[in-house]
Amino acid sequence: MTHELTVQTRTATAGPVIELAGELDHHSAPDVRVLLLGLGLHPGQQLVIDLDRLTFCDSSGITVLIAARNHALQAEADIALAAVPDHVSRIFRTVGLEQVFTIHPDARAAEAAWTPPAS
C-alpha cells in the first residue's frame, strides 16, 4: 500500500489554493500541516483547499484541515473547502464539521464566492 499525496499550490485573486491528491493520512499529514501553517495569509484573504482528487483521509487528515482553519482564522483570513469527496463529507457530518467549514462544489465556486474586504 502506498501512502502517496501530491500537493499543488497556486495563487488566486482571493488567496492561496491548495490542491490535495491522493491519501491524506498519518504519513502525509505532517508535511501538509507544515506547508499550510507556513502559508503567509493576510487579513481578508481566503485559503481554498481543493479536495477533488483526495482518495483517502483519516483522522490525521481531518486534524490538518482543522489546523488550517485555525491558522486562517488567526491570520484574519477565511478558509473554504472545495470538492469534498463523499467519504470525507460523511466524516464531517458525523462530527459536525460541515457546520465549521464553508464548502463549495469546486475551487472555482469557492473563488467566485469570496468577497474582498472593504477598503
Side-chain angles (χ1 to χ4, degrees), residues 91-111:
I91 295 168
F92 275 28
R93 283 190 305 275
T94 300
V95 298
L97 288 176
E98 82 282 5
Q99 297 174 19
V100 172
F101 286 98
T102 301
I103 300 173
H104 296 279
D106 56 42
R108 283 190 185 162
E111 293 169 36

Side-chain angles (χ1 to χ4, degrees), residues 1-7 21-32 54-58 60:
M1 176 184 232
T2 63
H3 301 282
E4 200 168 310
L5 181 79
T6 58
V7 180
E23 299 182 9
L24 181 56
D25 59 14
H26 68 279
H27 293 286
S28 59
D31 292 335
V32 174
L54 194 70
T55 58
F56 179 80
C57 184
D58 67 7
S60 300

Side-chain angles (χ1 to χ4, degrees), residues 9-84:
T9 60
R10 63 182 172 85
T11 302
T13 303
V17 178
I18 309 298
E19 300 169 350
L20 302 178
E23 299 182 9
L24 181 56
D25 59 14
H26 68 279
H27 293 286
S28 59
D31 292 335
V32 174
R33 184 182 183 112
V34 167
L35 172 96
L36 289 168
L37 296 179
L39 289 175
L41 291 173
H42 303 291
Q45 283 189 313
Q46 175 182 251
L47 167 62
V48 175
I49 303 177
D50 186 344
L51 305 176
D52 183 44
R53 295 177 38 218
L54 194 70
T55 58
F56 179 80
C57 184
D58 67 7
S59 61
S60 300
I62 298 297
T63 301
V64 165
L65 296 175
I66 293 168
R69 178 184 178 272
N70 293 341
H71 176 62
L73 293 177
Q74 188 173 40
E76 298 179 15
D78 291 325
I79 184 169
L81 302 182
V84 178

